[in-house]
Amino acid sequence: MYDVLIIGCGITGAATAFELSKYRLRVGILERENDVADGTTKANSAILHAGYDPLPGSLMARLNVRGVALARQLCTALDVPYSPCGSLVLGFTPADREALAELYRRGNVNGVPGLALLTGDEARALEPSLSPAVTAALHAPSAAICSPWEYCLALAETAVRNGAELHLETAVTGLYPTETGWRVETSRGELESRWVVNAAGLDAQVVHEMAAPRTFTLHPSRGQYFLLDKSEGDRVGRVIFQCPNEHGKGVLVTPTVHGNLLVGPNAEPVEGDDTATTAAGLDFVRGTALRSVPSVDFRTVIRSFAGVRAVADTGDFVIEEAAPRFLDLAGICSPGLSAAPAVGEYAAELMGRAGLPLERKASFQASRRRVRFKELPEGEKARLAAERPDYGRIICRCETVTEGEILDALRAPIPPRSVDGVKRRVGAGLGRCQGGFCGPRVVELLCRELGCSPGEIVQDRAGSWLLARETKGGKTDV
């Protein structure tokens, strides 16, 4: 019998598991994919928003500001790439200046620190690449960027180290109330739990309706992005927004913690988890971004991609006990990444008020470190390679990722099961050639460590096979 079963291990589920693993509870996490962070969490803007956009009094407003403050501490403690770069929201027209004044007002009510309204010249003094058409801006120094999938992995891995049990490739197929809580039917059998937490992302409405009548509707919204080479990584030093509208926070131009430039997203309704990119969508992103930063060189694009977020028709996060001991964490769209650790705190608080015993562990381990070989001083690199020769073998040339780092990931509490799983953990395949050089070596290491054949290795999710059959050598049928 579990005390709490969490359905979904994106950033919301991982943050909730992290928080609950501080207590003397048996916590389980059910994730239908073969890895954590394999939905919206792996395909977003990687922004920790300051918190001026949500309406005062909303859950979004409260949890965004608290979550960003927690993120700074957590990313340091858990060794997650993080940069407190700040952000600018640009205005071009008199109407935009009014919108910026409203965001400034909201931000002050929400408790966002250090907000300032700037003239166009003051904004360009901070960011010289901004368009000369910019007439005003809102500066938010508390905004930051991070690596969202590494953030999620770090939270989940820390939860597992502290006793949480992660069940991958375990889809929930049914929920049935019992005298003591819930019987949870999955693709791998039945489980019993006193509490169920619904952090299923795009599937949160489906999971909710297994336990309670419909009280909200989720509308999937797709955002398309360009990832540019590191030669463009210094084009701006802050997150550059335009004034938000009814479709969201708009197309942004931002550095990444890995040294690239990210541009996007648009916002378009889709059915389900449709992460296709389109010429029309990317053309819109390109044209809109150039209005903010005209000098962005789109000839340096190394990848385009899309992510889908779940937007609730309530206009706010859906965080409530929808049935006895069944807690929804649904509609966690932007600023969901920013709010995640505060959502986890709030979830634990709600369950505690409803009777879940929250007794702190004396032995909770709240730190984590991993080797990033390319960032080490030369003397430390030499020492480490002498101790472990696998650290002296470069697998990914673009990102200078060593065999030792990949082996560390494959032997960690939540090892990768795919080529993209390795990329999300150590960066192999994240660079200019997008895995063209290191891909076969990564497959080789996966096979060796997982004890499987190349034909069993997937690019990312189950079924994304890399190899179909042997075409050269070996036996042939006659």
Side-chain angles (χ1 to χ4, degrees):
M1 170 73 78
Y2 287 92
D3 293 298
V4 183
L5 277 176
I6 300 165
I7 302 173
C9 200
I11 190 65
T12 302
T16 304
F18 173 85
E19 185 65 26
L20 292 175
S21 70
K22 298 176 181 178
Y23 303 98
R24 295 186 180 279
L25 300 169
R26 187 183 181 198
V27 177
I29 316 161
L30 309 179
E31 171 54 57
R32 73 174 185 180
E33 302 297 346
N34 63 11
D35 203 358
V36 306
D38 210 12
T40 303
T41 301
K42 74 179 181 186
N44 58 68
S45 304
I47 309 301
L48 299 171
H49 295 280
Y52 49 74
D53 188 51
L55 289 172
S58 65
L59 282 172
M60 285 183 176
R62 169 186 158 191
L63 299 175
N64 182 354
V65 175
R66 172 64 177 162
V68 169
L70 289 172
R72 181 186 291 265
Q73 304 166 23
L74 286 169
C75 289
T76 299
L78 303 182
D79 199 11
V80 175
Y82 169 93
S83 173
C85 59
S87 68
L88 289 170
V89 186
L90 307 183
F92 298 86
T93 66
D96 286 346
R97 284 195 291 275
E98 292 180 11
L100 293 177
E102 170 61 16
L103 293 178
Y104 178 76
R105 183 195 70 80
R106 284 189 202 176
N108 284 322
V109 174
N110 292 345
V112 179
L115 288 176
L117 289 167
L118 308 179
T119 66
D121 287 341
E122 288 171 333
R124 277 183 291 274
L126 295 176
E127 293 290 346
S129 294
L130 294 182
S131 167
V134 173
T135 61
L138 176 65
H139 182 214
S142 63
I145 56 176
C146 71
S147 173
W149 50 84
E150 291 181 74
Y151 191 19
C152 180
L153 175 68
L155 291 167
E157 192 174 272
T158 305
V160 169
R161 283 200 170 106
N162 285 283
E165 302 169 35
L166 175 63
H167 303 270
L168 295 173
E169 296 183 295
T170 305
V172 173
T173 56
L175 294 170
Y176 302 93
T178 67
E179 290 185 2
T180 56
W182 293 88
R183 176 166 57 87
V184 182
E185 289 188 352
T186 81
S187 55
R188 292 179 178 267
E190 292 185 357
L191 299 168
E192 297 278 339
S193 184
R194 293 180 175 85
W195 277 84
V196 169
V197 174
N198 174 18
L202 289 167
D203 291 323
Q205 180 184 331
V206 173
V207 171
H208 168 93
E209 291 173 15
M210 292 180 184
R214 180 183 296 191
T215 55
F216 62 88
T217 301
L218 295 182
H219 298 284
S221 177
R222 180 173 65 193
Q224 300 184 43
Y225 295 86
F226 290 104
L227 181 67
L228 280 67
D229 188 61
K230 290 182 179 180
S231 60
E232 283 292 291
D234 294 329
R235 181 67 63 185
V236 295
R238 294 167 180 79
V239 184
I240 307 301
F241 294 100
Q242 295 176 14
C243 284
N245 55 40
E246 67 276 12
H247 300 298
K249 296 179 176 65
V251 174
L252 58 89
V253 179
T254 178
T256 74
V257 292
H258 301 106
N260 302 84
L261 191 74
L262 184 68
V263 180
N266 64 339
E268 53 193 346
V270 291
E271 293 293 327
D273 188 16
D274 181 357
T275 57
T277 56
T278 65
L282 292 172
D283 284 346
F284 173 82
V285 168
R286 182 189 296 107
T288 306
L290 290 173
R291 186 177 181 224
S292 298
V293 186
S295 56
V296 173
D297 184 0
F298 282 93
R299 295 172 299 177
T300 67
V301 170
I302 60 174
R303 190 178 189 88
S304 60
F305 66 94
V308 181
R309 55 263 192 191
V311 181
D313 61 355
T314 62
D316 200 358
F317 296 157
V318 179
I319 303 179
E320 59 189 10
E321 192 177 348
R325 290 178 284 191
F326 177 91
L327 182 66
D328 277 323
L329 306 179
I332 311 295
C333 56
S334 181
L337 178 68
S338 313
V343 171
E345 276 189 343
Y346 186 46
E349 177 188 334
L350 290 176
M351 288 186 281
R353 284 188 214 158
L356 181 69
L358 298 179
E359 181 186 351
R360 288 267 184 174
K361 293 176 181 173
S363 59
F364 180 72
Q365 299 175 21
S367 63
R368 169 184 175 271
R369 287 290 178 268
R370 81 168 181 85
V371 172
R372 293 179 174 84
F373 190 82
K374 69 179 179 181
E375 298 176 7
L376 297 175
E378 290 304 315
E380 181 64 12
K381 288 179 181 177
R383 183 196 65 77
L384 195 58
E387 289 180 3
R388 277 185 52 182
D390 49 30
Y391 278 118
R393 291 191 285 272
I394 302 296
I395 300 299
C396 173
R397 291 181 179 177
C398 295
E399 297 296 310
T400 318
V401 177
T402 65
E403 181 178 330
E405 292 166 86
I406 296 173
L407 293 178
D408 287 347
L410 287 164
R411 297 165 185 171
I414 307 176
R417 303 185 184 187
S418 67
V419 172
D420 280 359
V422 171
K423 176 172 70 173
R424 288 191 288 270
R425 283 158 176 80
V426 300
L430 196 63
R432 179 176 294 181
C433 84
Q434 290 289 288
F437 175 80
C438 64
R441 294 298 311 280
V442 171
V443 169
E444 180 185 346
L445 291 172
L446 281 165
C447 291
R448 191 177 82 195
E449 293 298 309
L450 300 180
C452 59
S453 70
E456 297 174 84
I457 300 298
V458 291
Q459 182 69 39
D460 192 5
R461 292 177 170 178
S464 57
W465 312 110
L466 290 168
L467 303 172
R469 63 184 183 278
E470 189 174 281
T471 58
K472 294 180 181 179
K475 296 181 180 180
T476 57
D477 295 329
V478 178

